[in-house]
Amino acid sequence: MIENIQSFDPVVQALFAGLFTWGMTALGAAAVFIMHGVDRKVLDAMLGFAAGVMIAASFWSLLLPAIEMSADSGLPQWIPAAAGFLAGGLFLRGIDLLLPHLHFGRPMEEAEGPETTWHRTTLLVLAITIHNIPEGLAVGVAFGALAAGHQTATLTAAIALAFGIGIQNFPEGMAVSLPLRREGFSRLRSFWYGQISGAVEPVAAIIGALTVIIATPILPYALAFAAGAMIFVVVEDVVPECHMNGNADIATMGTLIGFVVMMILDVALG
């Protein structure tokens, strides 16, 4: 199977990976067709798991390779990783300020970004879409790095990253569609909004792959950029959401399990 994947261009590989992560979001959103709802403790545990996967992927699949790739850059080895990491967080913060959105469980008065008359559903979906941008970029950068031929960039490691992000996208899809169903939306509309939030991932994956292929010297910065953006999402969005219903301990255990699962995937396959 690995040999078959290797025959494709890294950009095409990134596209396939982005489609896979989007598909996992859609699969999670499809739970609305067979479930009336999910216990909030279970959902918070799954969101905690997603946070753990994202944290582990940020270090093992992105930051650590960025540091290793900077050994011969002529700069202190930590500079590309630090600069890229902070830039990724600032990029997401900029999107937060420029694009109206609303996190699940929050009243309309707590919508972020510019004031708008957009519908609540639109703002909710935009919040998850913003969340998915760094995941798509991370996948794209990981596959685009293969074109650079660096020893720390391997196909199995890129696949492990895509697989890990795909796993954590499943509960995220549920976390969108099931609350929408409770707000009175039909099952079909709830599914549609749940899966469409992941549609940005294939696009972001292609952009990430093309960027590092065209400008190979920025690869360490790009890897760290994706890591910073993902950590921003975890701290600003995922962790607060899974802690807001009194299930902090369960969510925290989910985070630990998610971190370990992603660490094992990356170390075993990378």
Side-chain angles (χ1 to χ4, degrees):
M1 178 180 176
I2 297 293
E3 291 75 13
N4 293 334
I5 297 176
Q6 284 178 325
S7 64
F8 292 100
D9 182 84
V11 176
V12 178
Q13 294 171 355
L15 172 61
F16 287 159
L19 290 173
F20 166 73
T21 57
W22 178 17
M24 291 297 290
T25 303
L27 188 62
V32 74
F33 292 116
I34 59 175
M35 300 173 65
H36 294 292
V38 62
D39 185 270
R40 189 67 223 190
K41 289 183 178 180
V42 174
L43 187 57
D44 287 340
M46 291 193 296
L47 286 173
F49 177 89
V53 169
M54 293 176 72
I55 294 169
S58 295
F59 177 73
W60 296 100
S61 299
L62 299 169
L63 268 181
L64 185 58
I67 293 170
E68 293 174 346
M69 289 178 185
S70 303
D72 302 321
S73 66
L75 296 171
Q77 199 168 355
W78 54 268
I79 285 183
F85 187 85
L86 292 175
L90 290 172
F91 172 74
L92 261 291
R93 177 56 180 158
I95 292 180
D96 265 1
L97 293 173
L98 295 174
L99 188 64
H101 61 284
L102 176 67
H103 297 295
F104 277 95
R106 306 290 185 180
M108 279 294 289
E109 296 75 30
E110 294 186 19
E112 299 180 19
E115 291 188 11
T116 180
T117 57
W118 292 352
H119 193 274
R120 174 181 174 85
T121 305
T122 302
L123 297 177
L124 290 170
V125 173
L126 282 174
I128 302 298
T129 301
I130 294 171
H131 177 157
N132 286 332
I133 290 174
E135 296 175 5
L137 287 174
V139 169
V141 169
F143 280 93
L146 301 177
H150 198 282
Q151 61 181 3
T152 61
T154 65
L155 180 58
T156 50
I159 292 174
L161 175 62
F163 186 66
I165 289 178
I167 290 175
Q168 62 94 31
N169 274 358
F170 180 82
E172 288 182 356
M174 294 178 63
V176 178
S177 64
L178 293 176
L180 289 177
R181 176 62 177 162
R182 287 198 298 270
E183 290 192 14
F185 286 80
S186 68
R187 295 184 189 277
L188 185 59
R189 285 189 69 195
S190 298
F191 166 75
W192 171 256
Y193 285 121
Q195 64 82 32
I196 201 64
S197 63
V200 70
E201 293 200 17
V203 177
I206 292 175
I207 292 173
L210 285 173
T211 299
V212 297
I213 289 173
I214 294 172
T216 301
I218 71 167
L219 179 54
Y221 296 90
L223 288 166
F225 180 95
M230 287 217 291
I231 293 297
F232 182 94
V233 166
V234 170
V235 177
E236 198 260 352
D237 184 10
V238 183
V239 170
E241 183 177 345
C242 65
H243 282 218
M244 69 190 310
N245 298 287
N247 300 318
D249 290 339
I250 294 174
T252 300
M253 290 306 300
T255 301
L256 295 177
I257 294 170
F259 185 96
V260 169
V261 168
M262 185 64 220
M263 179 182 68
I264 292 172
L265 280 174
D266 192 272
V267 174
L269 298 180

